[in-house]
Amino acid sequence: MTVDPTPLAPTVWWARISDADPRLLRLLDAGERTRNARFRRQADRDRHLLGRSLARLALADLAGCPPEKVTFDLRCRSCEDKERTGARGGDDEPHGKPHPSGPAQGLEISVSHSGDWVALAVSEGAPVGIDVEGVSEARDVEGLADFTLAEVERRDWLLLPAEERATAFFGYWARKEALLKATGLGLSGGLRRVAVSPPHTRARLLSWEGGGGPDAAWLSDLERGTAYRSALAVLTDRPVDVVVRTPQDTADLLATRDVRTGPGGG
């Protein structure tokens, strides 16, 4: 099989939680605004708002259409797999990975958030997954590792000095979840089924236990400072040349686009 040598060029956008503005609610559709209102904490409402509004604006730019024309279909691959085997698909309310529809159909997105940051990845030509994790020394990483790390990962992780394990653990997590999100399985796909290279080495997928793994996967860490670990996965065997937009690029996009109307505006 001949691999297409043309690089894919996914774009990563970084938004600060402080970029959230109530005016952006006009970019959300009725269902998204309802879900946003359900979050009890303002920070969670802001992260959801930024993820949806930024995705709509970035996709509108690529599709050459007004942001209100960009829509999303939510599809949960785990539920779809269960339905194919005759099992109940799960929650009747739409959920799962957002797939752009309307003029932006064919593009792929993934959204993640942690702490002060919201990350968006947009790709054309291959599924994409992004994850960002805040490094927390207060978390029980020893306990979390039992149900998060595959055996080969845990062995390598335990060889690290104790003071490096928290950062490395969240590096593992970000790489693994980025891959799971790219497949559409998300965390329901099982973190321990996926084994990746140690965080202090080049990012790559080592193995995928059971079915559902990708035929090909490109994986890379993303820089977001020492307090966060982040990774991007693209399900392709082609070269990948990531375009990373700065937080200021994101702030400019959110501030300069006309958001007076949108899916729920008028």
Side-chain angles (χ1 to χ4, degrees):
M1 183 180 65
T2 302
V3 176
D4 185 346
T6 307
L8 292 175
T11 302
V12 172
W13 295 82
W14 287 101
R16 292 185 176 91
I17 193 172
S18 57
D19 292 328
D21 188 312
R23 292 175 298 175
L24 294 171
L25 283 167
R26 296 172 182 256
L27 287 169
L28 275 57
D29 64 27
E32 291 165 341
R33 291 200 307 274
T34 297
R35 184 180 180 190
N36 187 269
R38 289 177 183 166
F39 290 107
R40 301 180 68 177
R41 298 174 63 244
Q42 183 62 49
D44 293 331
R45 291 194 292 272
D46 289 344
R47 294 184 187 105
H48 175 262
L49 173 61
L50 282 170
R52 273 294 188 266
S53 57
L54 177 58
R56 201 163 256 121
L57 289 169
L59 288 167
D61 272 350
L62 287 172
C65 68
E68 63 266 25
K69 297 296 184 182
V70 175
T71 53
F72 299 100
D73 294 327
L74 299 182
R75 299 202 299 268
C76 174
R77 183 176 159 191
S78 293
C79 290
E80 291 174 351
D81 289 346
K82 290 177 183 177
E83 289 174 355
R84 278 193 289 270
T85 62
R88 178 175 172 80
D91 192 347
D92 292 332
E93 183 176 341
H95 63 285
K97 185 176 182 180
H99 292 265
S101 52
Q105 186 171 358
L107 296 170
E108 295 269 353
I109 69 164
S110 181
V111 179
S112 183
H113 52 75
S114 181
D116 295 331
W117 293 103
V118 175
L120 166 72
V122 183
S123 175
E124 183 175 10
V128 65
I130 194 167
D131 191 55
V132 56
E133 300 289 335
V135 176
S136 174
E137 301 286 349
R139 298 285 297 275
D140 176 19
V141 292
E142 296 282 347
L144 289 170
D146 289 339
F147 65 87
T148 301
L149 301 183
E151 288 303 319
V152 64
E153 294 171 332
R154 185 171 174 78
R155 286 197 299 270
D156 288 339
W157 182 70
L158 288 173
L159 293 174
L160 295 172
E163 64 271 16
E164 296 179 15
R165 289 180 189 169
T167 297
F169 171 80
F170 290 105
Y172 273 118
W173 186 303
R175 290 180 176 185
K176 290 151 73 78
E177 187 167 352
L179 285 160
L180 285 163
K181 291 171 74 172
T183 65
L185 289 167
L187 290 178
S188 63
L191 284 165
R192 293 195 77 236
R193 294 175 56 206
V194 181
V196 298
S197 54
H200 56 279
T201 65
R202 181 177 65 85
R204 58 194 178 95
L205 172 63
L206 299 180
S207 64
W208 193 294
E209 183 180 320
D215 294 330
W218 177 94
L219 183 64
S220 179
D221 294 327
L222 298 171
E223 176 59 41
R224 195 43 36 200
T226 58
Y228 294 87
R229 299 290 89 188
S230 181
L232 178 71
V234 186
L235 304 189
T236 183
D237 55 6
R238 291 168 56 183
V240 174
D241 188 7
V242 183
V243 177
V244 180
R245 308 299 294 264
T246 68
Q248 188 58 54
D249 291 336
T250 302
D252 291 344
L253 178 67
L254 294 170
T256 61
R257 291 300 299 260
D258 183 359
V259 298
R260 289 175 298 176
T261 60

